[in-house]
Amino acid sequence: MTTLALDGVRVLDMTHVQSGPSATQLLAWLGADVVKVEAPGGDITRRQLRDVPDADSLYFTMLNCNKRSITLNTKTGRGQQILTALIRGADVLVENFAPGAVERMGFSWERIREINPRIVYASIKGFGDGPYTNFKAYEVVAQAMGGSMATTGFEDGPPLATGAQIGDSGTGIHAVAGILAALLQREKTGRGQRVNVAMQHAVLNLCRVKLRDQQRLAHGPLTEYPNDDFTDEVPRSGNASGGGQPGWAVRCAPGGPNDYVYVIVQPQGWQPLSALIGRPELAEDPEWATPEARLPKLAKMFQLIEEWTATLPKWQVLEQLNRHNIPCGPILSPKEIIEDPSLADNDMIVEVGHPQRGTFTTVGNPLKLSDSPTTITTPPLLGQHNEEIYIGELGLSDEELRLLRSGGVI
């Protein structure tokens, strides 16, 4: 029988919506026993954005695979006693409540550490300590305050959010890194510790190249950007690559909203690229032959490339560019991604059975461990594992479980 990387690690998942559940789902995929502790009404996302009446939403199912679910009203005295017992038997506790909420339950870090000195207690919040601490945090708020929105979009347009959930799921991945580091350190010290991750901080970490460019501005314009004018702030630069090699999304036939290929122009790629676009003379023209000569004319360069790509479907453009080892990639829509057989073959697009929904499609584990293969299992129904955990693991009686239900504790 295969032993997974986190076999034997018990995680109390007191998270909701996306940032926390994305972290605990990844831990579950790595083999941890993740017990989702929900209020009797359940995680709010079970009901949000429903597409199937009276069934858990895709919002919930795609963030809570491979977990077990129990219900618990932690505002009751008995509920707090049960939570204490759960903490005592856990290796990790993860929560993303509003600041101070867990403390108001009576479970400060000091209290949690007293109950279980070996526990790793991970908190996901919107912001660190300071003037923003009590701001309500949402995905796009984190993008706004972490540096992403100010640098996303076109020069003459408003700041834009990215479709990637860098504020929520991006923070969840950062939290997993902290949790795993704390578990590893516990092997040396025997002690658990507090792990704090803020959404603003995670987005900022993902925007480090823009902070790089902010400092470079002190020494003059950013020549790899297509912008004509620069102030003392990093500008929005559309689809520019932002790296050492210029790139852009160029339109392809027949001109639909996602008929684009992103092309990177490396120095060694200019000669074959100029031949492909029907302008082989540009490979020797001193006005175009070197990267330094092309930098002031990036907009014109990509216009010339687009005059060629616009005559061909993106998959033909992709085939011809790859034949010459020119870095590129087609713009893939969510529909194309769900239907991409290579992603299914890599277990990144996965079909999962569900007792209410039938079958739904979700993403697979992007972390591929040779000795810890992931099998995606269906997310739990609300309170599905109450008997299994409360009776089978905590030793409560059938009668007490009935009283807990009738008393609103579970």
Side-chain angles (χ1 to χ4, degrees):
M1 182 177 177
T2 301
T3 299
L4 301 181
L6 295 182
D7 267 350
V9 174
R10 168 70 66 89
V11 178
L12 284 188
D13 179 3
M14 298 183 69
T15 70
H16 56 286
V17 191
Q18 184 180 166
S19 62
S22 67
T24 51
Q25 179 172 252
L26 197 50
L27 294 171
W29 284 345
L30 293 172
D33 175 19
V34 176
V35 177
K36 187 172 180 69
V37 183
E38 302 182 67
D43 186 324
I44 190 173
T45 58
R46 286 185 183 270
R47 303 180 299 279
Q48 284 186 336
L49 306 177
R50 271 182 171 152
D51 58 317
V52 176
D54 301 320
D56 288 334
S57 71
L58 287 168
Y59 195 177
F60 178 85
T61 61
M62 294 179 71
L63 285 160
N64 291 283
C65 292
N66 294 67
K67 302 179 185 180
R68 299 193 287 168
S69 169
I70 58 174
T71 52
L72 186 64
N73 183 352
T74 57
K75 295 179 180 178
T76 65
R78 184 63 179 127
Q80 292 182 0
Q81 291 173 352
I82 292 172
L83 180 57
T84 299
L86 291 168
I87 290 171
R88 191 171 290 120
D91 297 286
V92 179
L93 188 156
V94 189
E95 57 88 9
N96 64 334
F97 292 112
V102 178
E103 287 77 6
R104 288 191 294 273
M105 289 180 200
F107 291 89
S108 65
W109 166 229
E110 290 72 21
R111 173 61 181 144
I112 290 170
R113 183 167 49 183
E114 182 181 283
I115 297 166
N116 182 353
R118 287 178 54 82
I119 200 165
V120 172
Y121 174 25
S123 293
I124 296 173
K125 298 291 180 272
F127 308 94
D129 293 336
Y132 312 135
T133 300
N134 293 312
F135 282 25
K136 286 190 174 180
Y138 282 81
E139 166 67 44
V140 183
V141 172
Q143 290 190 32
M145 297 183 67
S148 178
M149 287 186 71
T151 53
T152 302
F154 286 85
E155 185 175 20
D156 56 353
L160 295 176
T162 175
Q165 302 289 282
I166 60 175
D168 276 323
S169 287
T171 303
I173 293 167
H174 282 78
V176 168
I179 291 165
L180 295 180
L183 287 172
L184 184 61
Q185 188 171 9
R186 189 179 73 174
E187 293 299 303
K188 303 173 186 177
T189 66
R191 298 190 310 274
Q193 61 183 292
R194 185 79 182 265
V195 175
N196 288 302
V197 185
M199 294 168 67
Q200 183 191 28
H201 299 172
V203 172
L204 174 57
N205 185 47
L206 298 174
C207 291
R208 66 177 63 230
V209 297
K210 298 304 181 181
L211 268 69
R212 173 202 67 191
D213 293 345
Q214 181 62 46
Q215 296 171 81
R216 291 173 59 225
L217 270 175
H219 304 285
L222 306 172
T223 55
E224 78 282 6
Y225 279 51
N227 305 65
D228 294 325
D229 300 310
F230 288 87
T231 65
D232 62 349
E233 295 182 334
V234 175
R236 291 187 279 280
S237 56
N239 287 318
S241 70
Q245 311 298 333
W248 201 257
V250 290
R251 186 178 290 276
C252 302
N258 293 301
D259 288 322
Y260 287 84
V261 167
Y262 196 87
V263 181
I264 301 281
V265 182
Q266 295 177 310
Q268 66 270 30
W270 179 243
Q271 187 276 330
L273 186 55
S274 60
L276 276 176
I277 67 175
R279 300 292 300 272
E281 73 279 4
L282 297 182
E284 305 298 331
D285 185 338
E287 292 292 315
W288 289 93
T290 66
E292 293 75 20
R294 292 191 295 272
L295 271 178
K297 300 188 285 289
L298 291 181
K300 178 63 176 177
M301 179 181 74
F302 284 109
Q303 178 188 335
L304 293 173
I305 295 170
E306 188 170 85
E307 288 174 3
W308 168 67
T309 62
T311 66
L312 299 169
K314 64 185 178 184
W315 295 105
Q316 287 188 32
V317 172
L318 183 75
E319 190 276 329
Q320 294 199 42
L321 292 175
N322 273 299
R323 191 189 309 154
H324 294 281
N325 205 30
I326 296 166
C328 62
I331 307 304
L332 296 181
S333 69
K335 181 177 185 294
E336 289 172 303
I337 285 171
I338 282 180
E339 296 172 352
D340 189 325
S342 70
L343 291 172
D345 290 344
N346 280 277
D347 294 324
M348 282 310 303
I349 295 295
V350 182
E351 298 291 317
V352 180
H354 189 271
Q356 294 173 329
R357 303 186 57 87
T359 299
F360 69 96
T361 303
T362 191
V363 296
N365 187 357
L367 306 179
K368 309 297 187 186
L369 279 65
S370 62
D371 288 354
S372 187
T374 299
T375 299
I376 308 296
T377 61
T378 195
L381 300 177
L382 180 60
Q384 180 179 338
H385 300 93
N386 280 350
E387 290 187 14
E388 180 176 299
I389 291 174
Y390 288 139
I391 295 176
E393 297 177 14
L394 291 190
L396 276 61
S397 67
D398 291 342
E399 176 62 16
E400 182 166 9
L401 197 68
R402 186 187 67 77
L403 292 173
L404 291 175
R405 284 199 185 97
S406 62
V409 177
I410 64 172

